[in-house]
Amino acid sequence: MLQSTVPRPSQDSAEGSARSDRALLAERYAAVRNTSMALTVGLAPEDQVIQTMPDVSPTKWHLAHTTWFLETFLLTPFAPGYEVFDPSFGYLFNSYYEAIGERHPRPARGLLSRPTVGEVGRYRAAVDEAMQAWLGGVDAPRFAAAAPILEIGLHHEQQHQELLLTDIKHVLAQNPVMPAYRAAAPAKRPQLGLDGWWDHEGGLVEIGHAGAGFAFDNESPRHRQYLPPFRLARRLVTAGQYLDFIRDGGYRRPELWLSDGWAAIKERGWAAPLYWIETEGGAYDLLTLNGRRPLDPSEPVVHVSFYEAEAFANWTGFRLPMEAEWEVVAAGRQVAGNFLDAGHYHPTGEGGHLYGDAWVWTRSAYQPYPGYRAAEGALGEYNGKFMSGQMVLRGGSCATPDGHVRATYRNFFPPDARWQFSGIRLAADV
Ligand SMILES: [Fe+2]
């Protein structure tokens, strides 16, 4: 299921060490849970209940679902005598766990006026209180058995923090006055001197997670792959470069597109990335979490589908990277870049980092690594059952919480998804 950072106390381990593991986990628990609530500051209850498309969940739903996850997978099995906050929440806030039971249909999450935002807040507070009491009092064997699941619960909540932001962006973008989610922290202009490539000699490489530290099950087993020599762009593709593609007729030239991609842009009338609004003379405004503003040609392009990323790459004569190529370049590099905690809520292009700003579409289908087996039980449904029809994205974005991604981290979305902070990093054969 996962590799946990939490060591199992051995028989001769000091009671104190188990306590400190617990205290650390309790601290991280509080920090992650508080971050979710902090993201809702400034949102009215009216903002938090809207669902604008099946992929988007209301803010309120994210807050309740992550709480249901902890209640269902931690408190119910591991806290003796725990009684669920409200028995109906299992139906309302189960996302996709068939082993847990029936659930409210995903596209209808926006039809739930009850429980209210206030009731969901009380649900969170009650579960947090029970969790902290449990962490303070649970015996060592039970803690050792439950700690890996709590790790998943915290990483799961961080994934929903990113979704909460991309979903509220989609919600606010449907409003013609485009209310800003937040004012942005000031960003430096991209440094244009950082163009160029990271060269890699290729050969037999190893990718995937092994050893210490948390990772989701889809990052394992670590295994070998052969890569021909390649290069990976040091910078994300900019909005200005993407604008050149549009002006060169990129959306009107079928030879650049995958068949499914060409069908998608025809059917949906796409002629630019999501949240680009054409103004006068072929110029564009951009809808951001900080409100509407003119497009800055030097910022990274974002909110493109895999299809658009692939067509753009074809237009340039380069290509998208394979996930193994991205990972071997990332391995050993510091995980640094524009993440959620920087408070920009939008890519800045600052510093030419490999991480942050925008997830990059890879040319790799989301497949199990050789030897992968999903865990038994409900949590085995976390990743494995989605390994069909999706592409892998790497690197994290401006909406990814700090500390959540790593070199081996595999995000995945269907090739037509555009509402995530997904961008383009080119690769080339050498
Ligand atoms: Fe979830």
Side-chain angles (χ1 to χ4, degrees):
M1 179 72 243
L2 79 167
Q3 333 297 319
S4 171
T5 49
V6 181
R8 286 167 180 270
S10 62
Q11 287 185 326
D12 58 321
S13 77
E15 206 32 36
S17 147
R19 275 221 186 81
S20 66
D21 290 342
R22 226 178 289 185
L24 279 176
L25 207 46
E27 252 172 52
R28 274 191 44 229
Y29 177 92
V32 170
R33 296 283 286 170
N34 289 341
T35 296
S36 299
M37 291 311 291
L39 291 176
T40 69
V41 170
L43 292 178
E46 290 85 346
D47 298 321
Q48 297 188 45
V49 299
I50 294 179
Q51 179 173 32
T52 45
M53 64 171 174
D55 285 336
V56 161
S57 297
T59 304
K60 179 179 77 173
W61 188 90
H62 288 295
L63 297 177
H65 161 71
T66 47
T67 306
W68 166 86
F69 190 100
L70 294 165
E71 190 178 49
T72 303
F73 296 115
L74 253 298
L75 289 173
T76 299
F78 292 104
Y82 178 79
E83 283 185 31
V84 296
F85 182 83
D86 184 322
S88 72
F89 287 5
Y91 181 81
L92 294 177
F93 300 122
N94 176 3
S95 50
Y96 54 66
Y97 296 91
E98 300 286 347
I100 299 293
E102 294 289 310
R103 72 213 71 95
H104 185 65
R106 178 172 187 169
R109 289 173 185 167
L111 302 180
L112 301 172
S113 64
R114 308 296 174 91
T116 63
V117 171
E119 283 162 346
V120 167
R122 287 189 282 285
Y123 178 37
R124 286 183 69 89
V127 166
D128 287 346
E129 199 183 316
M131 281 297 308
Q132 290 293 4
W134 178 82
L135 279 163
V138 65
D139 58 55
R142 212 183 283 267
F143 175 76
I149 298 170
L150 181 50
E151 285 278 352
I152 294 191
L154 297 182
H155 288 269
H156 170 253
E157 181 129 359
Q158 288 187 314
Q159 292 179 316
H160 277 277
Q161 288 165 0
E162 175 149 13
L163 292 169
L164 187 156
L165 280 177
T166 51
D167 289 358
I168 197 66
K169 180 172 184 175
H170 198 265
V171 167
L172 295 172
Q174 310 313 308
N175 187 324
V177 302
M178 186 58 202
Y181 165 73
R182 275 194 195 163
K188 285 184 211 145
R189 288 274 166 179
Q191 298 165 28
L192 295 171
L194 290 173
D195 281 329
W197 304 88
W198 281 298
D199 286 300
H200 194 283
E201 62 189 2
L204 200 55
V205 300
E206 283 197 6
I207 67 159
H209 175 82
F214 175 85
F216 285 110
D217 62 348
N218 61 4
E219 298 166 54
S220 291
R222 189 167 172 83
H223 61 283
R224 288 177 186 174
Q225 280 195 21
Y226 180 78
L227 297 178
F230 69 95
R231 44 180 40 179
L232 184 69
R234 286 178 182 262
R235 290 194 58 197
L236 295 168
V237 168
T238 64
Q241 291 165 331
Y242 201 85
L243 201 50
D244 290 342
F245 164 71
I246 294 175
R247 289 175 177 158
D248 194 39
Y251 282 83
R252 299 191 303 272
R253 294 169 51 183
E255 73 273 17
L256 298 174
W257 294 78
L258 291 164
S259 174
D260 287 347
W262 184 248
I265 65 169
K266 291 287 129 193
E267 188 187 313
R268 300 168 206 204
W270 291 348
L274 180 63
Y275 302 132
W276 286 36
I277 299 174
E278 196 166 2
T279 55
E280 287 162 24
Y284 287 87
D285 273 0
L286 204 56
L287 300 182
T288 75
L289 279 165
N290 323 121
R292 179 172 171 165
R293 61 164 172 77
L295 184 75
D296 179 346
S298 67
E299 66 186 297
V301 66
V302 72
H303 296 299
V304 290
S305 62
F306 167 75
Y307 296 137
E308 289 161 302
E310 170 75 6
F312 175 86
N314 286 336
W315 175 74
T316 63
F318 298 112
R319 61 173 174 83
L320 299 181
M322 304 301 289
E323 66 170 319
E325 292 174 330
W326 188 95
E327 185 169 326
V328 295
V329 173
R333 270 174 216 283
Q334 196 191 355
V335 183
N338 172 25
F339 292 119
L340 173 63
D341 303 42
H344 297 302
Y345 309 110
H346 199 78
T348 63
E350 189 184 323
H353 294 293
L354 185 56
Y355 288 94
D357 269 341
W359 292 98
V360 294
W361 286 107
T362 71
R363 200 64 177 79
S364 300
Y366 180 49
Q367 295 276 13
Y369 284 162
Y372 169 83
R373 306 294 293 182
E376 289 187 9
L379 280 176
E381 296 184 48
Y382 199 107
N383 282 311
K385 73 179 186 180
F386 300 109
M387 290 172 173
S388 163
Q390 312 211 47
M391 303 305 288
V392 173
L393 300 96
R394 293 296 194 118
S397 82
C398 57
T400 306
D402 276 46
H404 182 66
V405 288
R406 54 200 155 263
T408 58
Y409 195 104
R410 308 172 81 197
N411 198 357
F412 52 92
F413 278 98
D416 62 347
R418 305 210 294 176
W419 94 112
Q420 295 303 300
F421 284 99
S422 46
I424 309 169
R425 186 184 296 278
L426 294 171
D429 301 318
V430 175

